[in-house]
Amino acid sequence: MNKILRTSALLSFFVAASLAGPASGARFDGCNVKPASSLVVNVKDRGAKGDGKSDDTQSIQKAIDEVAGSGGTVYVPNGTYIVQAHGKNRLVLGSKMTLRLADRAVLKAMPTAAKYYSVLRIPRAKDVTVIGGTLQGDRKEHKGRSGEWGMGIIIGPESERITIAGVTSRHMWGDGFYLAGGEDIALCSVVAEHNRRQGLSIIMGNRILVTNSTFRDTRGTAPSAGIDLEPNKPHQRISNVRIENSKFIDNAGGGIMISGKKAEVAHVEILHNLFEGPRPILVENAPRVRSTSICENRYVRKEEAGNQLILR
């Protein structure tokens, strides 16, 4: 294997990520972000039921609005919380806050026919952390047939210092996670499973870390990749990305896709990952993604004849 040649920009990212302190007073070091305030608001104290039947959107948003800007935490106890995922009433996180879900807490999208939806949005926000729990889409109950943009979490545009840690996003009509634009974005120990279009789409961003995560069983509409780094418009540049120590399992469109056809994708490291299933990595129209920065990955595939496992 080739030795990894880190660019100075990537080195700057990881040094800065471990040392920088945002204006809120919270410490941003990628996967380890501590709330800047001791304030904790339990969504059940604001009227949320978590019974799998009631519409809890307004109660949860009330708690979010109360905590946003304070550096405190919104806490979601165990239970299934039905939330609106389409329209103006869907959940939106503000700056300087943490949303913490208990291990068995589920935010479940109310079934819709909409082409576009999101269980959570983090637009134009800074210093936001989402920890734990499960986001569940309406893929099995979706009322329409068109569109492919039902997302678990949409980050951006113009968001900074966002950490998603220990969150599972599954059964989305579109993508488990969607990065529309931001800087210093970390996805740590997340799981994207059984989503229809992508596990994670990165459309625009700078200084992005994906670590210790799993992207699996993405299928239903193209590209169906574990992670797709692909700008949609000429101004949407992607740079300084590190994807490490993660698993890509049985994604119909492959593990990681990188396409710079519409805008530049540069300085991407892909290290120490495991790929099982179809094509592990595809890079197109991205000359600034160097092969020397893609190394020490493992690829397991099944031979059609004899179902033999091949490890590369």
PDB file of all heavy atoms in Angstrom, residues 9 58 77 102 108 112 165 173 197 212 216 227 231 268 282 302-303:
ATOM      1  N   ALA A   9      -3.589  21.359   4.143  1.00  0.00           N
ATOM      2  CA  ALA A   9      -4.931  21.801   4.498  1.00  0.00           C
ATOM      3  C   ALA A   9      -5.592  20.815   5.448  1.00  0.00           C
ATOM      4  O   ALA A   9      -6.245  21.208   6.418  1.00  0.00           O
ATOM      5  CB  ALA A   9      -5.783  21.961   3.234  1.00  0.00           C
ATOM      6  N   GLN A  58     -44.590  20.042  17.734  1.00  0.00           N
ATOM      7  CA  GLN A  58     -44.614  21.353  18.375  1.00  0.00           C
ATOM      8  C   GLN A  58     -43.959  21.325  19.750  1.00  0.00           C
ATOM      9  O   GLN A  58     -43.267  22.279  20.129  1.00  0.00           O
ATOM     10  CB  GLN A  58     -46.056  21.862  18.475  1.00  0.00           C
ATOM     11  CG  GLN A  58     -46.655  22.252  17.127  1.00  0.00           C
ATOM     12  CD  GLN A  58     -48.020  22.921  17.281  1.00  0.00           C
ATOM     13  OE1 GLN A  58     -48.533  23.077  18.388  1.00  0.00           O
ATOM     14  NE2 GLN A  58     -48.605  23.307  16.158  1.00  0.00           N
ATOM     15  N   PRO A  77     -36.210  11.543  25.960  1.00  0.00           N
ATOM     16  CA  PRO A  77     -36.164  10.224  26.619  1.00  0.00           C
ATOM     17  C   PRO A  77     -36.582   9.100  25.673  1.00  0.00           C
ATOM     18  O   PRO A  77     -37.067   9.329  24.559  1.00  0.00           O
ATOM     19  CB  PRO A  77     -37.178  10.371  27.769  1.00  0.00           C
ATOM     20  CG  PRO A  77     -37.446  11.823  27.890  1.00  0.00           C
ATOM     21  CD  PRO A  77     -37.239  12.413  26.526  1.00  0.00           C
ATOM     22  N   ALA A 102     -32.067   9.669  23.941  1.00  0.00           N
ATOM     23  CA  ALA A 102     -31.755   8.454  24.683  1.00  0.00           C
ATOM     24  C   ALA A 102     -31.557   7.297  23.696  1.00  0.00           C
ATOM     25  O   ALA A 102     -31.961   7.364  22.529  1.00  0.00           O
ATOM     26  CB  ALA A 102     -32.879   8.134  25.664  1.00  0.00           C
ATOM     27  N   LYS A 108     -39.749   9.723  14.551  1.00  0.00           N
ATOM     28  CA  LYS A 108     -40.306   9.032  13.394  1.00  0.00           C
ATOM     29  C   LYS A 108     -41.092   9.997  12.520  1.00  0.00           C
ATOM     30  O   LYS A 108     -42.000  10.686  12.998  1.00  0.00           O
ATOM     31  CB  LYS A 108     -41.209   7.886  13.843  1.00  0.00           C
ATOM     32  CG  LYS A 108     -41.751   7.043  12.698  1.00  0.00           C
ATOM     33  CD  LYS A 108     -42.582   5.879  13.213  1.00  0.00           C
ATOM     34  CE  LYS A 108     -43.126   5.039  12.063  1.00  0.00           C
ATOM     35  NZ  LYS A 108     -43.954   3.912  12.547  1.00  0.00           N
ATOM     36  N   THR A 112     -45.881  10.866   4.460  1.00  0.00           N
ATOM     37  CA  THR A 112     -46.230  11.970   3.580  1.00  0.00           C
ATOM     38  C   THR A 112     -46.079  11.533   2.135  1.00  0.00           C
ATOM     39  O   THR A 112     -45.407  10.537   1.845  1.00  0.00           O
ATOM     40  CB  THR A 112     -45.306  13.183   3.851  1.00  0.00           C
ATOM     41  OG1 THR A 112     -45.608  14.238   2.948  1.00  0.00           O
ATOM     42  CG2 THR A 112     -43.839  12.812   3.677  1.00  0.00           C
ATOM     43  N   ALA A 165     -23.289  12.547  16.340  1.00  0.00           N
ATOM     44  CA  ALA A 165     -22.571  11.445  16.982  1.00  0.00           C
ATOM     45  C   ALA A 165     -23.534  10.378  17.471  1.00  0.00           C
ATOM     46  O   ALA A 165     -24.499  10.671  18.191  1.00  0.00           O
ATOM     47  CB  ALA A 165     -21.746  11.980  18.161  1.00  0.00           C
ATOM     48  N   TRP A 173     -36.850   8.165   2.563  1.00  0.00           N
ATOM     49  CA  TRP A 173     -37.231   8.152   1.149  1.00  0.00           C
ATOM     50  C   TRP A 173     -36.061   8.599   0.282  1.00  0.00           C
ATOM     51  O   TRP A 173     -35.991   8.252  -0.894  1.00  0.00           O
ATOM     52  CB  TRP A 173     -38.440   9.049   0.942  1.00  0.00           C
ATOM     53  CG  TRP A 173     -39.068   8.991  -0.413  1.00  0.00           C
ATOM     54  CD1 TRP A 173     -39.142  10.006  -1.338  1.00  0.00           C
ATOM     55  CD2 TRP A 173     -39.720   7.865  -1.023  1.00  0.00           C
ATOM     56  NE1 TRP A 173     -39.803   9.585  -2.461  1.00  0.00           N
ATOM     57  CE2 TRP A 173     -40.170   8.263  -2.300  1.00  0.00           C
ATOM     58  CE3 TRP A 173     -39.953   6.557  -0.597  1.00  0.00           C
ATOM     59  CZ2 TRP A 173     -40.850   7.407  -3.155  1.00  0.00           C
ATOM     60  CZ3 TRP A 173     -40.628   5.697  -1.451  1.00  0.00           C
ATOM     61  CH2 TRP A 173     -41.062   6.130  -2.719  1.00  0.00           C
ATOM     62  N   ARG A 197     -31.912   6.363  -1.292  1.00  0.00           N
ATOM     63  CA  ARG A 197     -31.034   6.972  -2.302  1.00  0.00           C
ATOM     64  C   ARG A 197     -29.553   6.966  -1.911  1.00  0.00           C
ATOM     65  O   ARG A 197     -28.721   6.492  -2.675  1.00  0.00           O
ATOM     66  CB  ARG A 197     -31.481   8.400  -2.617  1.00  0.00           C
ATOM     67  CG  ARG A 197     -30.779   8.967  -3.851  1.00  0.00           C
ATOM     68  CD  ARG A 197     -31.136  10.415  -4.103  1.00  0.00           C
ATOM     69  NE  ARG A 197     -30.510  11.313  -3.141  1.00  0.00           N
ATOM     70  CZ  ARG A 197     -30.216  12.585  -3.386  1.00  0.00           C
ATOM     71  NH1 ARG A 197     -30.495  13.107  -4.579  1.00  0.00           N
ATOM     72  NH2 ARG A 197     -29.674  13.342  -2.463  1.00  0.00           N
ATOM     73  N   ASN A 212     -15.626   6.053  12.144  1.00  0.00           N
ATOM     74  CA  ASN A 212     -16.234   4.971  12.937  1.00  0.00           C
ATOM     75  C   ASN A 212     -17.728   4.809  12.675  1.00  0.00           C
ATOM     76  O   ASN A 212     -18.521   4.584  13.600  1.00  0.00           O
ATOM     77  CB  ASN A 212     -15.985   5.215  14.427  1.00  0.00           C
ATOM     78  CG  ASN A 212     -14.523   5.125  14.789  1.00  0.00           C
ATOM     79  OD1 ASN A 212     -13.841   4.158  14.464  1.00  0.00           O
ATOM     80  ND2 ASN A 212     -14.004   6.157  15.432  1.00  0.00           N
ATOM     81  N   ARG A 216     -24.992   1.147   5.164  1.00  0.00           N
ATOM     82  CA  ARG A 216     -25.317  -0.184   4.672  1.00  0.00           C
ATOM     83  C   ARG A 216     -26.704  -0.253   4.036  1.00  0.00           C
ATOM     84  O   ARG A 216     -27.604   0.534   4.343  1.00  0.00           O
ATOM     85  CB  ARG A 216     -25.229  -1.212   5.797  1.00  0.00           C
ATOM     86  CG  ARG A 216     -26.218  -1.040   6.927  1.00  0.00           C
ATOM     87  CD  ARG A 216     -26.061  -2.163   7.959  1.00  0.00           C
ATOM     88  NE  ARG A 216     -26.148  -3.463   7.302  1.00  0.00           N
ATOM     89  CZ  ARG A 216     -25.475  -4.543   7.711  1.00  0.00           C
ATOM     90  NH1 ARG A 216     -24.690  -4.471   8.767  1.00  0.00           N
ATOM     91  NH2 ARG A 216     -25.619  -5.684   7.061  1.00  0.00           N
ATOM     92  N   ILE A 227     -21.725   6.652   0.600  1.00  0.00           N
ATOM     93  CA  ILE A 227     -21.469   8.094   0.639  1.00  0.00           C
ATOM     94  C   ILE A 227     -21.263   8.576  -0.784  1.00  0.00           C
ATOM     95  O   ILE A 227     -20.523   7.969  -1.558  1.00  0.00           O
ATOM     96  CB  ILE A 227     -20.222   8.442   1.472  1.00  0.00           C
ATOM     97  CG1 ILE A 227     -20.388   7.997   2.931  1.00  0.00           C
ATOM     98  CG2 ILE A 227     -19.942   9.942   1.421  1.00  0.00           C
ATOM     99  CD1 ILE A 227     -19.180   8.292   3.815  1.00  0.00           C
ATOM    100  N   PRO A 231     -21.053  17.687  -5.926  1.00  0.00           N
ATOM    101  CA  PRO A 231     -21.704  19.003  -6.022  1.00  0.00           C
ATOM    102  C   PRO A 231     -22.760  19.014  -7.114  1.00  0.00           C
ATOM    103  O   PRO A 231     -22.628  18.351  -8.141  1.00  0.00           O
ATOM    104  CB  PRO A 231     -20.546  19.942  -6.375  1.00  0.00           C
ATOM    105  CG  PRO A 231     -19.301  19.199  -5.995  1.00  0.00           C
ATOM    106  CD  PRO A 231     -19.610  17.761  -6.213  1.00  0.00           C
ATOM    107  N   VAL A 268      -9.337  14.684  -0.526  1.00  0.00           N
ATOM    108  CA  VAL A 268     -10.165  13.689   0.156  1.00  0.00           C
ATOM    109  C   VAL A 268      -9.274  12.533   0.592  1.00  0.00           C
ATOM    110  O   VAL A 268      -8.526  11.974  -0.212  1.00  0.00           O
ATOM    111  CB  VAL A 268     -11.285  13.161  -0.758  1.00  0.00           C
ATOM    112  CG1 VAL A 268     -12.096  12.084  -0.049  1.00  0.00           C
ATOM    113  CG2 VAL A 268     -12.187  14.297  -1.218  1.00  0.00           C
ATOM    114  N   LEU A 282     -15.496   4.782  -6.305  1.00  0.00           N
ATOM    115  CA  LEU A 282     -15.483   5.300  -7.674  1.00  0.00           C
ATOM    116  C   LEU A 282     -15.132   6.785  -7.620  1.00  0.00           C
ATOM    117  O   LEU A 282     -15.762   7.551  -6.892  1.00  0.00           O
ATOM    118  CB  LEU A 282     -16.842   5.117  -8.338  1.00  0.00           C
ATOM    119  CG  LEU A 282     -17.004   5.760  -9.727  1.00  0.00           C
ATOM    120  CD1 LEU A 282     -16.100   5.066 -10.744  1.00  0.00           C
ATOM    121  CD2 LEU A 282     -18.459   5.718 -10.185  1.00  0.00           C
ATOM    122  N   LYS A 302     -18.077 -11.159  -2.792  1.00  0.00           N
ATOM    123  CA  LYS A 302     -18.498 -12.540  -2.978  1.00  0.00           C
ATOM    124  C   LYS A 302     -18.366 -12.931  -4.437  1.00  0.00           C
ATOM    125  O   LYS A 302     -18.893 -12.262  -5.319  1.00  0.00           O
ATOM    126  CB  LYS A 302     -19.945 -12.732  -2.524  1.00  0.00           C
ATOM    127  CG  LYS A 302     -20.131 -12.647  -1.020  1.00  0.00           C
ATOM    128  CD  LYS A 302     -21.579 -12.916  -0.640  1.00  0.00           C
ATOM    129  CE  LYS A 302     -21.760 -12.870   0.871  1.00  0.00           C
ATOM    130  NZ  LYS A 302     -23.172 -13.124   1.252  1.00  0.00           N
ATOM    131  N   GLU A 303     -17.645 -13.998  -4.680  1.00  0.00           N
ATOM    132  CA  GLU A 303     -17.579 -14.542  -6.026  1.00  0.00           C
ATOM    133  C   GLU A 303     -18.913 -15.213  -6.345  1.00  0.00           C
ATOM    134  O   GLU A 303     -19.494 -15.915  -5.518  1.00  0.00           O
ATOM    135  CB  GLU A 303     -16.462 -15.580  -6.132  1.00  0.00           C
ATOM    136  CG  GLU A 303     -15.066 -14.994  -6.035  1.00  0.00           C
ATOM    137  CD  GLU A 303     -14.620 -14.335  -7.315  1.00  0.00           C
ATOM    138  OE1 GLU A 303     -15.461 -14.218  -8.240  1.00  0.00           O
ATOM    139  OE2 GLU A 303     -13.461 -13.932  -7.403  1.00  0.00           O
TER     140      GLU A 303
END
